[in-house]
């Protein structure tokens, strides 16, 4: 029986999540592994600022104690959540990356902005998901909801960051 188990383990494909080294990241995610910490806000007023290209490990609050500006798409009453502000000088396609499962919304004024694309980060990067939004210039509210973990790494990035203009 032990030999059969060993043969089955040897024949099993290597799981996609098994990584021997972090993957090198392309722009706009090259700073993803930098350190920074922040406590996510529980209401829009006083929520900390998220800065494009600067990742943080955010401490979240049980979602029942967060005053979401707009009901989150999923998981508002479950898990943990928090709020950040994001200010843009000009319109941009912005990706919000998370290292764990959670719901992310961007609110402009009183309206949730529909995402234009979403997917996973590169294998072995530590980025679990990226949600892209086309945002106008101005101040926005980033809502995180439904995280089972009390901490989540989060980063906002401009799709055109550091690209050469020809």
């Amino acid at each position: 029986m032990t030999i059969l188990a060993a043969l089955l383990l040897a024949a099993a494909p290597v799981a996609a999540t098994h990584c021997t080294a972090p993957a090198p990241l392309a722009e706009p995610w090259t700073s993803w592994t930098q350190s920074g910490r922040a406590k996510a806000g529980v209401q829009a007023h006083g929520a900390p600022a998220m800065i494009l290209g600067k990742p943080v490990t955010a401490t979240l609050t049980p979602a029942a104690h967060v005053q979401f500006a707009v009901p989150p798409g999923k998981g508002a009453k479950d898990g943990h959540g928090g709020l950040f502000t994001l200010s843009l000088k000009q319109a941009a396609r912005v990706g919000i990356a998370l290292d764990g499962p959670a719901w992310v919304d961007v609110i402009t004024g009183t309206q949730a902005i529909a995402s234009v694309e979403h997917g996973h980060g590169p294998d072995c990067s530590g980025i679990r998901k990226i949600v892209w939004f086309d945002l106008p210039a101005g101040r926005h509210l980033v809502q995180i909801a439904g995280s089972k973990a009390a901490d989540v790494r989060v980063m906002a990035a401009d799709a055109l960051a550091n690209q050469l203009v020809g």
Side-chain angles (χ1 to χ4, degrees):
M1 186 69 158
T2 305
I3 295 173
L4 178 58
L7 288 173
L8 288 173
L9 286 174
V14 176
T17 58
H18 177 72
C19 300
T20 57
L25 292 168
E27 289 296 345
W29 308 109
T30 55
S31 62
W32 172 255
T33 58
Q34 292 178 0
S35 62
R37 288 205 63 86
K39 175 145 179 56
V42 295
Q43 57 186 3
H45 178 73
M50 183 178 276
I51 300 169
L52 289 173
K54 302 292 183 192
V56 295
T57 299
T59 300
L60 304 175
T61 299
H65 300 289
V66 178
Q67 296 175 9
F68 295 106
V70 172
K74 288 186 182 177
K77 295 179 182 170
D78 299 326
H80 298 84
L83 307 171
F84 288 91
T85 61
L86 176 65
S87 295
L88 300 176
K89 291 181 182 178
Q90 59 188 22
R93 177 162 287 187
V94 174
I96 308 290
L98 300 171
D99 73 348
W103 189 262
V104 63
D105 290 302
V106 176
I107 313 304
T108 300
T110 60
Q111 297 293 317
I113 303 296
S115 64
V116 293
E117 188 179 345
H118 63 277
H120 297 286
D123 288 342
C124 300
S125 68
I127 299 174
R128 178 181 169 97
K129 75 187 290 183
I130 304 170
V131 183
W132 293 93
F133 300 90
D134 286 338
L135 300 176
R139 187 173 184 263
H140 309 279
L141 187 67
V142 177
Q143 298 186 155
I144 299 171
S147 174
K148 291 183 182 183
D151 289 322
V152 65
R153 179 174 280 280
V154 60
M155 179 177 162
D158 184 335
L160 299 178
N162 298 319
Q163 291 185 3
L164 297 176
V165 177

